[in-house]
Amino acid sequence: MKFAVIGAGWAGCAAAVELTRRGKHVTLIEAARTAGGRARRVEHEGHHLDNGQHILLGAYHDSLRLMQTVGITPSQALLRLPLQMRYPPGCDGMEFIAGRLPAPLHLLSALLTSRGLSVGDKLSLARFSSAARWMNWRLDIDCSVAELLERFEQTERLIQLMWRPLCISALNTPPERASARVFLKTLGDSLGAARSCSDMLLPTRDLSALFPDAAINYLEKRGGKAHLGVHVRALNHQAHQWQITGDDFDECFDKVIVATPAYAAQTLLSPLNTALSDTLNFKYEPITTCFLKYDSSVRLASPFFALRDHAESSQWGQFVFDRGQLDTTQAGLLAVVISASTAAVAMGQATLANAVAQQLADVFQRKELATTEWSWVITEKRATFACEPNLRRPPNETALNHLWLAGDYTEGDYPATIEGAVQSGLRAASLALQ
């Protein structure tokens, strides 16, 4: 049987690798010329950058397993750091770093040795953690993250320094609108599991090279085909097969997995099934990454720091990464991430880049950071769906015979993350194999 996977993002690549591993003939079709979808490589000023700086977690078991399947060694491709929330020393922040102890002692040691938190803050954090463990990190009746934090009497400082940045970075949705159920599940798989699950994994290579490129190589070495730069224009069901028509492409397949973003899948499938198309109608949140290039001697004290964002003061950055500590060829390059960045994007790229550079100069108390050699702002306008309470997400199965969906937006425990996309791709492949 001939299998087609439309979309070479992480979900599509995961599905293609799993089908190939199970001995199936797979054709992978991607509109862009670089695989990876919304977590892919882009090039600028001779650097291989990403269309968004990402952190993976030790809890991403399926992603790590698939990397090994296609020949990527996680220990070489990812910098593993203990769970931490560290702010620059010069700002009114905190330092919370998990110890190298078995769970949950690693979090207890972080709490006892943390800096910048009062006794009340620490008791508040301990109360939340204990209650969440008692609930098995699950919530039967969904609500907003803000409501959940209020219910557990979290202090304002702890919310601002820890819970809010964790919520925005994980769900890309402000706590006032974010799903507490999804947030708790995400915390449970990291904070509530083995110590290694809470580790933060920073890619030391571009996101396409981290898995998608190797996935395509794995596919092609086993007889599969990958078509990059082919935009699929239409799907038609004919004589028990699916005809896929695109740019200089016209071929029939027995089974098809649509692994494009939800909005692209909606456009492709709306002529076939209106009800299915309606389930793909989401609200979206953008993510912006601001790359700032300085002299190669510029280096931060840690590979990444959390930042306090304050829109009224034009301080938009939420995390800053020292790319030079991840890839020595990028010394002097800092990447500042702004999740849920609608208001920041409205400033314009040049104004935003200047504001972010000034923010770094202020919080690190280093005047030279206010002036860059060059800057580049990348905004993924529909980076993730807005992960709101009681959001209904479509299953991988569809009413269309021998056609499945894959993507971080399908039913699952995770928000729109790399692991969520990979798990969806694996589920779709499993269904297609039955």
Side-chain angles (χ1 to χ4, degrees):
M1 299 189 76
K2 295 173 62 179
F3 292 74
V5 178
I6 304 174
W10 286 65
C13 286
V17 167
E18 181 64 10
L19 291 171
T20 302
R21 188 182 71 83
R22 300 285 291 272
K24 304 304 179 182
H25 184 277
V26 182
T27 297
L28 182 62
I29 310 165
E30 167 59 42
R33 297 194 177 277
T34 303
R38 285 161 290 139
R40 70 182 185 280
R41 172 178 61 248
V42 292
E43 296 186 23
H44 184 74
E45 296 290 339
H47 291 288
H48 281 182
L49 307 177
D50 298 308
N51 67 325
Q53 182 71 47
H54 282 64
I55 295 180
L56 283 72
L57 296 175
Y60 286 9
H61 301 299
D62 288 312
S63 299
L64 297 173
R65 177 177 59 81
L66 279 191
M67 287 180 195
Q68 293 177 313
T69 298
V70 299
I72 300 294
T73 304
S75 61
Q76 296 175 358
L78 297 160
L79 175 64
R80 181 178 285 265
L81 299 173
L83 171 72
Q84 54 193 271
M85 186 65 72
R86 299 179 64 187
Y87 288 80
C91 73
D92 182 24
M94 62 177 282
E95 183 173 279
F96 182 95
I97 305 175
R100 295 293 187 183
L101 297 170
L105 296 179
H106 67 310
L107 296 181
L108 178 61
S109 69
L111 186 62
L112 294 175
T113 60
S114 63
R115 300 176 184 176
L117 296 178
S118 68
V119 173
D121 297 328
K122 293 182 180 182
L123 290 175
S124 176
L125 178 56
R127 181 167 56 248
F128 181 92
S129 179
S130 297
R133 286 180 182 277
W134 179 80
M135 296 163 56
N136 198 26
W137 305 92
R138 294 187 179 277
L139 197 63
D140 292 331
I141 301 176
D142 206 359
C143 63
S144 73
V145 171
E147 291 177 79
L148 181 73
L149 298 177
E150 182 180 1
R151 186 183 306 171
F152 288 106
E153 301 178 344
Q154 296 300 282
T155 65
E156 185 62 29
R157 182 171 176 81
L158 193 61
I159 291 173
Q160 292 302 317
L161 293 180
M162 188 164 189
W163 297 130
R164 183 176 184 277
L166 281 179
C167 175
I168 289 180
S169 62
L171 275 63
N172 193 34
T173 308
E176 297 75 24
R177 295 189 287 107
S179 165
R181 178 184 291 153
V182 176
F183 184 59
L184 264 185
K185 171 60 179 173
T186 305
L187 290 179
D189 283 357
S190 53
L191 302 185
R195 181 200 58 76
S196 61
C197 292
S198 69
D199 285 347
M200 294 178 158
L201 312 180
L202 276 60
T204 60
R205 59 187 67 177
D206 67 73
L207 291 173
S208 294
L210 189 60
F211 171 65
D213 288 349
I216 289 176
N217 186 52
Y218 179 90
L219 169 76
E220 292 180 331
K221 280 188 173 181
R222 288 157 181 79
K225 298 178 182 179
H227 298 273
L228 301 181
V230 174
H231 190 100
V232 173
R233 304 293 179 182
L235 270 172
N236 294 292
H237 200 234
Q238 296 182 352
H240 306 293
Q241 283 192 317
W242 285 100
Q243 180 187 21
I244 299 179
T245 305
D247 301 333
D248 297 321
F249 187 92
D250 193 335
E251 195 170 339
C252 290
F253 297 89
D254 298 291
K255 298 185 177 184
V256 174
I257 295 175
V258 177
T260 65
Y263 51 85
Q266 186 177 35
T267 300
L268 187 62
L269 298 175
S270 57
L272 301 173
N273 188 304
T274 303
L276 173 60
S277 174
D278 289 343
T279 68
L280 303 176
N281 192 29
F282 291 94
K283 291 190 293 184
Y284 293 95
E285 295 282 355
I287 297 178
T288 296
T289 304
C290 185
F291 292 97
L292 305 173
K293 180 65 174 72
Y294 301 94
D295 183 81
S296 59
S297 62
V298 171
R299 181 183 174 92
L300 302 182
S302 177
F304 81 101
F305 283 97
L307 302 171
R308 295 191 68 169
D309 59 334
H310 190 259
E312 290 76 9
S313 304
S314 293
Q315 295 187 327
W316 301 101
Q318 296 153 351
F319 289 92
V320 57
F321 295 81
D322 187 344
R323 300 272 301 196
Q325 296 190 45
L326 304 175
D327 181 349
T328 56
T329 67
Q330 297 183 4
L333 182 63
L334 304 183
V336 178
V337 177
I338 309 169
S339 298
S341 60
T342 300
V345 172
M347 296 183 64
Q349 293 189 0
T351 303
L352 179 58
N354 290 333
V356 169
Q358 187 60 55
Q359 179 185 5
L360 295 184
D362 292 341
V363 299
F364 285 101
Q365 300 178 7
R366 296 172 61 175
K367 293 182 179 179
E368 72 272 18
L369 296 182
T371 305
T372 64
E373 293 181 1
W374 54 260
S375 62
W376 194 35
V377 177
I378 299 178
T379 297
E380 190 73 38
K381 294 182 179 179
R382 292 182 285 193
T384 70
F385 58 85
C387 192
E388 298 179 344
N390 298 307
L391 178 67
R392 295 186 65 182
R393 295 156 61 178
N396 295 93
E397 301 96 331
T398 75
L400 299 172
N401 194 33
H402 288 174
L403 185 143
W404 296 266
L405 299 174
D408 56 17
Y409 63 88
T410 60
E411 282 182 351
D413 293 327
Y414 280 100
T417 59
I418 281 177
E419 180 73 354
V422 167
Q423 289 183 352
S424 180
L426 293 175
R427 286 195 303 270
S430 177
L431 291 167
L433 286 165
Q434 292 177 8

